[in-house]
Amino acid sequence: MTGPRRRRPPAALAVPALLAVLVLTLPVLGLVVRAPWTDLPSLLTEPAAREAIRLSLVVAAAATVLSLVLGVPLGWVLARVPFPGRRFVRVAVFVPLVLPPVVGGTALLFALGRQGLAGRLLDDWFGIVLPFSTWGAIVAATFVALPFLVLTVEAGVRSLPQDYEEVACTLGAGPWTVFRRVTLPLIGPSITAGAALAFARAIGEFGATVTFAGNLPGRTRTLPLAIFTALEQDPDTALALGVVLLAVSLVVLVALRDRLRGPR
Amino acid sequence: MGPSCLRRAVPLALMAATLSACSGGDDGRSSVTVLAAASLTTAFEDLEAAYERAHEDVDLVVSTGGSPSLAAQAAAGAPASVLITADPESMQPAGEAGVLAGEPASIATNAVTIATPTDAPGPVVDDAAGLADDDLLVALCAPEVPCGRAAEELLTAAGIDAEADSLELSVRGVVTRLELGEVDAGIVYVTDVAGSDGTLRAVVTDAPDTVGLVRYVAAPLEARPGGAELVEFLLGAEAQGILAEHGFGAP
């Protein structure tokens, strides 16, 4: 029973499992097969395509940096500081993960739009209008990317034995020094993984962006919006841009390979 | 299978049974789906009611969107009976794909106009030249969709150099941004202003009436039956009356 002999899986499990693999791989295969590989260089060097690629990198990078600056502290607080309402905060972190992005965009519009709750004040006090600006696209991308960073960092901090931090404390280090010199280096891999996930989510962001930030080349038309727009008239360009995002996903998967490796 | 397994299997089986029972429950009417340009959204509420009154055995299902994406859906074999685009040009991909079951027929015309929210939260736009103001937030249709092409024509004719802040893929996108007060001005169809219950105001330009026009075409599709009948209805007196009520021009 416990020998190394491989057991045949029952058909009732093997067949749906195989179907699941098909559901996951078939669409990607469709993209790869149908992609205009020979025209790829010329399609991707078109000014509109280059602009979308550049904008996407800027928006995703900015959203990742914002997520790091805000998310690492929140992840640490959630893992280490018991405070009333912590459960509520954790639910709030999960909201963007389960909320359809277009609903997120609508919510952003009514909160930070020119007529929105906070957006009205931003406009009146500082003359800042987020919709239709690259900052709007960055805010939308951060909204959806931040949870990935917070949750990964929180899990990383939780998995640390508190001994190191306590020893550092007894040796006279203040809490900030402990965080900076002990905790931060130890959760380095979690931060990297969280940042990779946040970047991947940010660069693929569509629904919240198109709803909240609009669709303008060079300003808010990131790769997913460019793909959606190109599909109207020029499916080949849409496929070529799709290949770019597929490549980005592969790079992220490679960056995360240590975490993805299942048990042998 | 142990007793605990069974306890879980029974509700699942019940659920499956209920689901399959639901999907079978229709009221005997056959559904006819029409893919209609986004600017026809409001008019089709009345058109649908009129068509279903005349054809009691039909449940008309209206799916609206930007004309090119509807044509792409039809070309890909979408299970619909009729395709209506806001210009003949947008219909072409469907024609080339061989999914049309008849010649496209003109059913109505429309014209674009500069529009602004009536209770403008931002700067007030009083004339067309205001659209060229850089501080103004402007939403236009993307040049890929009919209202975008018509808008470009209008801007050129009026000699306005407008800079868009967002290019929407259907006119409804522009209308929504205007109605929410997120943009100061935009170019929409006159029917959108007429159907806005006073929330939108048209801004007059120097351009002649003959620019910025679109012509809606409808064609039956091969994918599903009932298309030719619906197109015929749209060309008839009752449907034409409804379209005129909503501000559309005669074909």
Side-chain angles (χ1 to χ4, degrees):
Chain A
M1 193 67 208
T2 50
R5 197 161 52 102
R6 236 179 251 176
R7 276 185 300 168
R8 249 176 98 94
L13 295 180
V15 172
L18 198 70
L19 276 176
V21 173
L22 273 182
V23 167
L24 293 171
T25 51
L26 211 57
V28 180
L29 242 137
L31 176 70
V32 171
V33 169
R34 180 62 183 76
W37 292 103
T38 46
D39 296 335
L40 211 56
S42 64
L43 285 171
L44 292 181
T45 46
E46 291 274 327
R50 281 193 353 223
E51 204 166 33
I53 293 170
R54 181 197 64 83
L55 184 66
S56 268
L57 291 175
V58 168
V59 168
T64 309
V65 169
L66 268 176
S67 298
L68 281 168
V69 170
L70 304 173
V72 174
L74 180 56
W76 181 83
V77 167
L78 282 175
R80 283 289 189 254
V81 188
F83 62 94
R86 183 157 72 159
R87 282 179 65 156
F88 174 79
V89 173
R90 190 171 291 116
V91 169
V93 172
F94 269 99
V95 165
L97 287 181
V98 291
L99 200 67
V102 63
V103 179
T106 311
L108 281 171
L109 195 60
F110 285 99
L112 294 171
R114 204 166 54 163
Q115 295 285 83
L117 283 175
R120 197 187 304 239
L121 302 178
L122 278 181
D123 190 12
D124 286 353
W125 294 350
F126 310 108
I128 297 174
V129 178
L130 281 176
F132 316 115
S133 73
T134 302
W135 277 109
I138 292 171
V139 168
T142 307
F143 177 74
V144 296
L146 185 54
F148 287 91
L149 203 106
V150 174
L151 295 173
T152 319
V153 168
E154 189 199 343
V157 176
R158 271 181 193 283
S159 68
L160 283 186
Q162 290 202 21
D163 311 2
Y164 300 113
E165 291 165 357
E166 275 160 15
V167 168
C169 222
T170 55
L171 293 176
W176 171 242
T177 312
V178 172
F179 173 76
R180 204 165 42 88
R181 303 281 296 274
V182 180
T183 320
L184 209 52
L186 284 171
I187 58 167
S190 297
I191 295 178
T192 316
L197 285 171
F199 183 85
R201 181 64 189 86
I203 205 164
E205 168 43 38
F206 173 75
T209 312
V210 78
T211 322
F212 176 58
N215 185 357
L216 191 76
R219 211 189 296 167
T220 53
R221 185 177 290 170
T222 51
L223 275 169
L225 274 71
I227 291 173
F228 189 64
T229 310
L231 263 180
E232 299 277 325
Q233 254 185 356
D234 186 3
D236 273 355
T237 299
L239 283 163
L241 294 174
V243 169
V244 174
L245 280 182
L246 185 64
V248 171
S249 317
L250 285 180
V251 170
V252 170
L253 286 178
V254 169
L256 292 173
R257 64 189 181 283
D258 288 341
R259 296 203 152 229
L260 295 171
R261 200 171 288 146
R264 298 277 143 126
Chain B
M1 194 190 276
S4 66
C5 276
L6 259 178
R7 254 208 313 277
R8 279 180 202 164
V10 170
L12 267 177
L14 275 176
M15 249 169 65
T18 328
L19 278 174
S20 58
C22 285
S23 62
D26 60 271
D27 52 2
R29 294 194 297 169
S30 60
S31 79
V32 169
T33 301
V34 52
L35 305 171
S39 44
L40 290 165
T41 306
T42 335
F44 249 100
E45 286 166 16
D46 293 341
L47 289 170
E48 181 184 345
Y51 192 70
E52 286 176 354
R53 259 198 313 277
H55 302 78
E56 281 181 350
D57 54 334
V58 172
D59 173 23
L60 192 65
V61 180
V62 186
S63 167
T64 58
S67 292
S69 60
L70 295 179
Q73 286 173 33
S81 303
V82 174
L83 170 66
I84 307 175
T85 59
D87 62 9
E89 199 179 336
S90 302
M91 179 81 70
Q92 268 175 17
E96 282 160 18
V99 296
L100 301 185
E103 279 298 302
S106 300
I107 59 160
T109 58
N110 208 346
V112 291
T113 175
I114 297 173
T116 173
T118 313
D119 303 315
V124 177
V125 185
D126 275 327
D127 53 16
L131 226 60
D133 186 345
D134 266 354
D135 293 338
L136 230 58
L137 286 174
V138 175
L140 299 178
C141 288
E144 283 86 1
V145 292
C147 62
R149 289 191 282 269
E152 264 176 13
E153 213 180 287
L154 175 73
L155 289 170
T156 313
I160 304 166
D161 180 25
E163 252 190 52
D165 294 282
S166 188
L167 296 172
E168 307 295 328
L169 286 175
S170 103
V171 71
R172 296 305 307 175
V174 181
V175 172
T176 307
R177 298 216 188 273
L178 283 168
E179 287 186 335
L180 291 178
E182 290 297 330
V183 295
D184 303 303
I187 296 188
V188 298
Y189 290 113
V190 291
T191 51
D192 296 314
V193 177
S196 72
D197 292 325
T199 57
L200 299 186
R201 191 167 55 83
V203 178
V204 184
T205 65
D206 302 333
D209 289 346
T210 48
V211 301
L213 298 181
V214 296
R215 186 163 58 87
Y216 294 82
V217 286
L221 296 170
E222 297 275 11
R224 284 283 185 280
E229 234 173 333
L230 178 60
V231 173
E232 202 172 307
F233 165 80
L234 291 170
L235 292 167
E238 188 182 10
Q240 287 297 316
I242 293 172
L243 285 165
E245 259 172 50
H246 284 271
F248 289 90

